[in-house]
Amino acid sequence: MFYMFFISVFCSMTMYPHPNSGLAHLSILVLLLSLLLPLSLPSRAPPHQHPVHLPSLVPHAPLPLSRSRFSSQTQLDFTTHCNASCYHKGEQESRREHLTEQLAFETLYADGSRTLTTVDVADEDNYEGTISPAIQPPTKGRRVTSRHRRQKRQIYGADGRFNIRGDHFLLDYPFSTAVRISTGCTGVLVSRLHVLTAAHCVHDGKDYVKGARKLRVGFLTPPYINGTKPSQTPTKKPLVRWVRVKRTRVPKGWIQGPQEVSMDFDYALLELRWPHRRPFMRLSVAPSSDDLAGKRIHFSGFDSDRPGELVYRFCPVEDESNDLIYQHCDARPGASGSGVYGRVWDTALERWERKVIGIFSGHQWLEIDGENRDYNVAVRFTPLKFAQICYWVHGNRVDCSQD
């Protein structure tokens, strides 16, 4: 199936060539050949992979809040700026008190009512185990200022994104796990009822966006499913079947107020009114990039410059902190909220599995020692973030400890 996909992708890219077509075609061949390499994965676990301590959260009784005003505008082109002071911020800000405050969460219901749930970390002696294996803390805690006006560079060199065309590909795993969010973002299916996306797609740090009042999730549906034969719809784009969201959960670490916002907690969970029947992708604590097959990440999203199309891309990890994945995967607004996945070694199954290890957030400029660096950034799932999201999905601590 994947070999058919590669051929389809190459044909698609040659039909819609990049302005530098010669360079683009060469880069496409290199990309496809490099993507073939992980298909022959090693049969053993990474030799340096360490077991991950999974903490559990103890939620308190929800506290009622005032109804949301839905006064904010959706900011799809999410960009932040970080200088040396935040890039090298130490671990002292991640003491238990600060972490538990950030891991509290708001729940927004369909009628506009809200609650706040505070939490405790069950295993207090091991809360410092939230630092993921092989990731050192000196680059932890990038607290960033609000939107930066510098020209954003989200395409690096030749465009390495692939349009996913063909009904058998759109409905095939893992592409079928990507869904649209009615505010203009992307999400990823993580259970029969739940979708992960970026927090900034529903909340700007001060209030929920207007589109969150009647939030919906869109499932791509090939035209022939509605009664038309595939041969009769060669040029039609997929249809979208929309499902209403029952409730939305956002970590308090994201809701910081008007003065500052942190990419570290740019994720939210949406609960659907009705379960879907499509395959979903399992979650994992993000390992070090050295423990990812090929040291690569992948994600599919609905980039705004390719309306109606599902767009796939992959790239190596350039840098990482405890909370963020820095990379140069080509992306445009609309891809925010995509599930970032890699092939992770599953110790129970004793094989490599695709698992969501983060959420694509946006773009960040780093100014370190007078040098400007720019990256596309994804939120990493630390053990505590994994425990929080798992609790949101399952509603209890037992299932999360066994996930």
Side-chain angles (χ1 to χ4, degrees):
M1 177 61 75
F2 272 96
Y3 292 99
M4 295 173 59
F5 166 63
F6 298 146
I7 296 172
S8 173
V9 164
F10 182 75
C11 293
S12 170
M13 295 293 282
T14 54
M15 289 174 61
Y16 301 90
H18 190 275
N20 301 321
S21 58
L23 177 62
H25 290 167
L26 177 61
S27 65
I28 294 165
L29 287 172
V30 174
L31 288 170
L32 294 179
L33 287 173
S34 63
L35 188 57
L36 281 169
L37 294 178
L39 294 181
S40 56
L41 297 171
S43 58
R44 296 180 181 179
H48 50 278
Q49 186 172 13
H50 303 285
V52 178
H53 169 71
L54 288 179
S56 60
L57 302 185
V58 181
H60 300 160
L63 304 172
L65 300 174
S66 60
R67 298 174 69 87
S68 174
R69 294 173 296 158
F70 300 100
S71 61
S72 297
Q73 299 292 333
T74 305
Q75 183 75 25
L76 296 182
D77 201 355
F78 183 59
T79 302
T80 56
H81 172 259
C82 177
N83 57 26
S85 62
C86 71
Y87 186 82
H88 295 292
K89 184 169 290 186
E91 187 65 15
Q92 66 271 13
E93 285 203 12
S94 290
R95 301 298 88 185
R96 181 174 63 87
E97 295 81 2
H98 192 61
L99 280 171
T100 54
E101 178 183 345
Q102 292 175 321
L103 290 167
F105 57 89
E106 275 194 17
T107 302
L108 172 70
Y109 298 89
D111 63 357
S113 61
R114 298 182 300 152
T115 59
L116 171 66
T117 304
T118 57
V119 301
D120 284 326
V121 179
D123 191 352
E124 296 185 6
D125 294 334
N126 287 309
Y127 78 90
E128 292 185 12
T130 56
I131 300 297
S132 299
I135 303 297
Q136 300 301 319
T139 59
K140 164 73 178 69
R142 294 175 170 86
R143 182 64 58 192
V144 296
T145 57
S146 57
R147 314 307 191 270
H148 196 56
R149 294 184 179 179
R150 189 191 301 270
Q151 179 66 32
K152 290 163 283 297
R153 180 187 171 197
Q154 295 175 311
I155 303 297
Y156 298 86
D159 194 335
R161 297 173 297 164
F162 308 128
N163 287 3
I164 305 302
R165 292 193 174 97
D167 303 338
H168 52 295
F169 294 127
L170 288 172
L171 295 180
D172 193 33
Y173 184 88
F175 308 119
S176 60
T177 65
V179 291
R180 290 178 59 180
I181 308 300
S182 58
T183 54
C185 291
T186 301
V188 59
L189 301 173
V190 294
S191 84
R192 295 294 181 195
L193 277 171
H194 297 93
V195 176
L196 267 177
T197 188
H200 77 261
C201 296
V202 297
H203 195 291
D204 73 346
K206 296 175 289 185
D207 192 13
Y208 291 91
V209 302
K210 291 181 178 179
R213 186 188 297 271
K214 295 182 179 180
L215 196 60
R216 299 177 298 163
V217 170
F219 293 77
L220 289 189
T221 304
Y224 75 83
I225 288 183
N226 292 319
T228 306
K229 295 181 180 179
S231 59
Q232 296 175 338
T233 60
T235 59
K236 284 189 176 182
K237 291 183 178 179
L239 305 176
V240 181
R241 179 177 63 87
W242 294 99
V243 177
R244 288 289 300 274
V245 171
K246 180 180 178 180
R247 59 182 173 183
T248 302
R249 282 173 164 162
V250 181
K252 198 74 169 75
W254 172 257
I255 305 173
Q256 298 290 341
Q259 298 304 315
E260 57 182 21
V261 21
S262 172
M263 275 186 167
D264 297 355
F265 292 89
D266 189 12
Y267 56 91
L269 188 78
L270 316 181
E271 182 178 337
L272 304 175
R273 280 193 174 183
W274 310 104
H276 63 85
R277 297 181 179 179
R278 298 196 178 184
F280 55 87
M281 197 170 290
R282 294 176 61 197
L283 301 174
S284 171
V285 173
S288 164
S289 60
D290 291 335
D291 292 335
L292 290 172
K295 298 184 180 180
R296 294 188 183 95
I297 57 171
H298 313 247
F299 59 97
S300 299
F302 297 92
D303 300 52
S304 58
D305 63 334
R306 301 189 185 183
E309 299 278 2
L310 178 63
V311 184
Y312 163 77
R313 79 239 54 207
F314 71 97
C315 67
V317 176
E318 300 288 341
D319 193 7
E320 55 193 337
S321 72
N322 183 60
D323 286 289
L324 299 177
I325 300 172
Y326 285 80
Q327 31 80 19
H328 287 155
C329 282
D330 294 325
R332 297 295 296 163
S336 293
S338 299
V340 174
Y341 65 90
R343 289 182 178 265
V344 179
W345 181 259
D346 190 308
T347 54
L349 299 176
E350 295 188 344
R351 67 188 184 201
W352 296 90
E353 290 282 310
R354 294 187 190 91
K355 293 185 180 181
V356 178
I357 60 172
I359 290 293
F360 179 65
S361 178
H363 188 261
Q364 186 171 98
W365 283 94
L366 301 179
E367 294 184 8
I368 309 296
D369 298 328
E371 178 184 356
N372 295 325
R373 311 173 193 173
D374 64 310
Y375 296 97
N376 283 335
V377 178
V379 179
R380 294 182 81 246
F381 291 158
T382 63
L384 268 177
K385 292 176 188 175
F386 176 89
Q388 181 190 53
I389 296 170
C390 190
Y391 175 79
W392 289 349
V393 171
H394 293 291
N396 64 75
R397 297 162 51 192
V398 176
D399 288 342
C400 293
S401 64
Q402 297 175 351
D403 202 320

